[in-house]
Amino acid sequence: TLNRIGVIFYELGESQKALDYMTKSYEVFLAIENFREAAVTLHNISVIYNRFGEYGKSLEYLNESLKLWIKLDNKFGEANALHGIASNYLDLGEKTKALIFFEKALVIARTLKDDPVVEAEILNNLGTFFFEAGENQKAINHYSLALPIFRRLN
């Protein structure tokens, strides 16, 4: 509940209150050993720091979230955390690191047969990555792979 209140405050534009609630939520989840919800909360906190432009802080929370997803052997969470890490590195202008993490995320996302949206989002972001790098053919290839998945998902 604390995490959801934090999300609401975030949506209302009250980021500091959101962080306060999410931090409390994280502490509770750790105390009761609900590592899945702790990982989700860390990811939510990272999103707020990313929006503040505090990419290093965002990366800290994503890396902690990633550790929990790996501990839980949750590939969906792991792929999302890696995707977030890649996006933060891209925001920092560290394109080589971003590409490494996008590719790691994609490998895992392709194993998620029940949830292809993660794969499509990563492919789409890779398309944008390559387009912005002037590698138009690679961009087209990645967009072309993402498009049929998005169409299937509607």
Side-chain angles (χ1 to χ4, degrees), residues 18-66:
L19 283 173
D20 293 343
Y21 276 93
M22 288 179 188
T23 301
K24 289 176 191 169
S25 173
Y26 171 68
E27 292 166 358
V28 169
F29 288 134
L30 273 186
I32 64 172
E33 297 184 2
N34 186 338
F35 300 118
R36 183 193 178 287
E37 291 301 321
V40 169
T41 303
L42 288 169
H43 194 101
N44 290 343
I45 292 170
S46 79
V47 169
I48 293 173
Y49 280 112
N50 178 278
R51 296 280 154 65
F52 285 156
E54 294 184 39
Y55 306 119
K57 195 85 164 161
S58 180
L59 280 167
E60 288 176 31
Y61 283 95
L62 282 167
N63 279 306
E64 288 304 310
S65 177
L66 177 61

Side-chain angles (χ1 to χ4, degrees), residues 2 7 12 17 49 58 61 70 107 115 130 141-142 150:
L2 291 170
V7 170
L12 292 171
K17 280 187 181 178
Y49 280 112
S58 180
Y61 283 95
I70 291 170
V107 167
D115 197 344
F130 287 118
N141 291 345
H142 284 84
F150 280 128

Side-chain angles (χ1 to χ4, degrees), residues 41 43 46 58 80 88 91 95 116 136 147 149:
T41 303
H43 194 101
S46 79
S58 180
N80 275 312
N88 273 276
D91 291 335
K95 294 177 181 176
N136 293 333
L147 186 59
I149 299 171

